[in-house]
């Protein structure tokens, strides 16, 4: 398995979205959203992991941490736009939830063993989850 350099810029939703959509060939690809929240999606951070190909020849591209309500309106919109892009190319969408410290480390420096574990732990996901997220609320 080949793990490419991260795509995008941490905390920059639209730049990261553009990096993914302009450099990833959606043919035979899969999309796994990684998040640090379950049940509190209005505060969630997301990164995208795109797997192209199968088995030992697979290539993995991890996005920078830049999607979701944690990054404001732009983060929420970019997550919805990435979901629409994936749907328009018939990419299956899956999700893996990690605890916050592990999430930060894995997104920054994934290794082949961790990537395989993330793929195995992922679950099919409904695209509507990512296109109808509420905005982050301030307390």
């Amino acid at each position: 398995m080949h793990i490419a350099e991260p795509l995008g810029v941490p905390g920059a939703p639209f730049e990261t979205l553009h990096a993914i959509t302009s450099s990833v060939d959606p043919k035979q690809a899969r999309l796994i959203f990684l998040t640090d929240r379950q049940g509190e999606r209005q505060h969630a951070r997301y990164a995208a992991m795109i797997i192209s190909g199968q088995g030992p020849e697979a290539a993995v591209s991890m996005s920078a941490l830049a999607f979701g309500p944690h990054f404001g309106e732009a983060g929420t919109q970019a997550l919805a736009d990435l979901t629409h892009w994936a749907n328009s190319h018939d990419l299956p969408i899956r999700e893996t939830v990690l605890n916050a410290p592990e999430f930060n480390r894995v997104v920054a420096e994934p290794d082949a063993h961790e990537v395989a574990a993330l793929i195995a732990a992922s679950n099919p996901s409904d695209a509507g989850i990512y296109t109808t997220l509420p905005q982050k609320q301030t307390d």
Side-chain angles (χ1 to χ4, degrees):
M1 177 178 309
H2 171 71
I3 301 173
E5 290 295 315
L7 297 170
V9 178
F14 293 117
E15 290 86 344
T16 302
L17 173 65
H18 178 71
I20 293 171
T21 59
S22 64
S23 64
V24 171
D25 181 357
K27 296 176 185 155
Q28 299 180 352
R30 295 174 284 159
L31 172 63
I32 299 176
F33 284 122
L34 306 176
T35 186
D36 63 341
R37 301 281 179 146
Q38 186 172 14
E40 295 181 359
R41 292 192 184 272
Q42 72 273 15
H43 301 290
R45 301 179 299 164
Y46 291 88
M49 183 169 64
I50 299 97
I51 303 100
S52 302
Q54 300 287 328
E57 302 302 314
V60 176
S61 299
M62 184 80 69
S63 79
L65 182 53
F67 298 108
H70 179 83
F71 299 102
E73 186 176 325
T76 300
Q77 185 61 54
L79 180 64
D81 291 350
L82 180 56
T83 302
H84 291 302
W85 175 83
N87 281 336
S88 72
H89 292 289
D90 296 322
L91 268 71
I93 298 173
R94 300 178 68 88
E95 180 181 88
T96 300
V97 180
L98 300 163
N99 63 48
E102 184 178 5
F103 176 69
N104 292 332
R105 185 186 51 72
V106 168
V107 170
E109 296 182 30
D111 67 29
H113 176 72
E114 289 172 325
V115 167
L118 292 171
I119 293 169
S122 69
N123 293 300
S125 193
D126 181 351
I129 292 172
Y130 313 106
T131 58
T132 58
L133 283 168
Q135 292 297 313
K136 179 180 178 182
Q137 298 175 0
T138 56
D139 298 280

